[in-house]
């Protein structure tokens, strides 16, 4: 969601476990949501998206859940691997605009 | 590779210099974006072009000047920057508004 955080939250998970990363979005009019992964020294990489007419969408090892009632978005990563270590952040937007609101992000650390 | 390239990848400049950042997208998208990413802050939208027309200008200082000569290329011209302008500058493109954005690798800018 929209926040200006001074501290990047960190989630540490054991390799092979499932990871859940959460995001609270800010605009109730938002109808399109994206999760990005950003590794050190690289640009954000698209992971998965969801539109507001759905509450769940699955990809390869990833699932996005959308709860419009509480304006909450989550990213679930199954069988987390060392290559999943990165900063993950959500983005929200709505039809008719070119503006996207990005979250501050969560750092995922995968422990061997 | 996301289909969005940026050059240079790293740039160090003095406050009196003039330089330009270049972005090129090979995805056939209609919209292109400039973002600023500072440490521990959400992505900040700077400029958006759709079909070579500027559609968003987020109160960015005039020392940043965008140029979009065609739908595949986007430039950010820099002059008399300040040290606080040091950041990662990211270019992105999308097919249209409120659609999936694909990011380039970014230009790491340091202003001395």
């Amino acid at each position: 969601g929209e926040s200006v955080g001074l501290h990047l939250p960190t989630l540490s998970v054991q390799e092979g476990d499932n990871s859940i990363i959460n995001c609270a979005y800010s605009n109730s009019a938002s109808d399109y949501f994206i999760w990005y992964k950003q590794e050190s020294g690289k640009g954000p990489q698209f992971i998965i998206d969801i539109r507001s007419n759905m509450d769940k969408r699955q990809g390869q090892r990833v699932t996005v859940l959308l709860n419009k009632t509480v304006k909450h978005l989550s990213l679930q990563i199954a069988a987390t691997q060392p290559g999943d270590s990165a900063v993950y952040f959500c983005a929200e937007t709505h039809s008719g605009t070119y503006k996207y609101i990005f979250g501050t992000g969560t750092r995922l650390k995968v422990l061997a | 590779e996301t289909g969005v390239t940026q050059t240079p990848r790293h740039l160090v400049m003095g406050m009196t210099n003039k330089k330009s950042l270049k972005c090129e997208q090979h995805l056939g998208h209609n919209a292109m974006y400039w973002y600023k990413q500072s440490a521990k802050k959400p992505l900040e939208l700077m400029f958006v072009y759709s079909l070579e027309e500027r559609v968003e200008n987020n109160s960015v200082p005039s020392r940043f000047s965008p140029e979009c000569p065609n739908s595949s290329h986007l430039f950010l011209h820099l002059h008399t920057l300040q040290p606080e302008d040091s950041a990662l500058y990211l270019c992105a493109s999308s097919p249209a508004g409120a659609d999936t954005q694909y990011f380039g690798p970014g230009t790491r800018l340091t202003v001395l």
Side-chain angles (χ1 to χ4, degrees):
Chain A
E2 186 173 320
S3 64
V4 180
L6 297 179
H7 172 71
L8 201 62
T10 299
L11 174 67
S12 296
V13 298
Q14 208 67 37
E15 182 179 355
D17 286 354
N18 297 334
S19 304
I20 300 176
I21 300 170
N22 297 303
C23 179
Y25 66 91
S26 59
N27 187 354
S28 56
S30 293
D31 56 12
Y32 181 55
F33 307 87
I34 311 170
W35 277 103
Y36 287 96
K37 170 186 180 183
Q38 188 172 22
E39 297 174 273
S40 181
K42 296 184 178 181
Q45 174 189 352
F46 169 86
I47 301 174
I48 192 168
D49 59 359
I50 189 168
R51 298 204 178 264
S52 59
N53 60 350
M54 303 174 70
D55 53 22
K56 179 179 180 179
R57 189 154 189 242
Q58 288 184 293
Q60 186 176 13
R61 279 203 308 120
V62 294
T63 300
V64 56
L65 299 178
L66 174 63
N67 185 331
K68 295 181 286 293
T69 304
V70 295
K71 294 192 291 186
H72 183 267
L73 197 64
S74 70
L75 176 71
Q76 300 178 1
I77 303 174
T80 312
Q81 302 170 359
D84 295 327
S85 294
V87 174
Y88 292 80
F89 55 89
C90 63
E92 60 179 296
T93 187
H94 61 89
S95 303
T97 184
Y98 291 89
K99 285 191 173 182
Y100 296 70
I101 301 173
F102 291 84
T104 312
T106 296
R107 184 177 303 280
L108 176 66
K109 288 187 176 179
V110 181
L111 308 172
Chain B
E1 292 297 327
T2 63
V4 181
T5 58
Q6 290 185 246
T7 55
R9 293 294 310 277
H10 301 272
L11 178 61
V12 180
M13 59 187 289
M15 289 189 284
T16 58
N17 291 159
K18 289 185 180 181
K19 296 287 184 183
S20 295
L21 309 185
K22 179 183 176 182
C23 175
E24 184 174 358
Q25 58 100 356
H26 312 274
L27 302 168
H29 290 169
N30 290 332
M32 296 188 75
Y33 308 74
W34 278 118
Y35 286 93
K36 177 183 179 182
Q37 188 176 39
S38 304
K40 298 180 182 177
K41 291 176 69 176
L43 286 173
E44 300 172 54
L45 179 65
M46 301 177 72
F47 303 103
V48 184
Y49 279 82
S50 176
L51 297 172
E52 301 148 52
E53 296 290 326
R54 190 187 305 183
V55 295
E56 292 287 348
N57 180 356
N58 263 17
S59 301
V60 178
S62 59
R63 57 186 185 269
F64 295 92
S65 174
E67 178 189 0
C68 187
N70 55 64
S71 59
S72 299
H73 293 86
L74 186 64
F75 294 89
L76 187 62
H77 304 300
L78 318 171
H79 63 96
T80 59
L81 294 192
Q82 304 299 310
E84 59 264 30
D85 296 323
S86 298
L88 182 69
Y89 287 84
L90 290 161
C91 174
S93 71
S94 67
D99 208 335
T100 308
Q101 286 188 323
Y102 293 90
F103 285 86
T107 295
R108 173 66 62 186
L109 174 66
T110 303
V111 182
L112 303 177

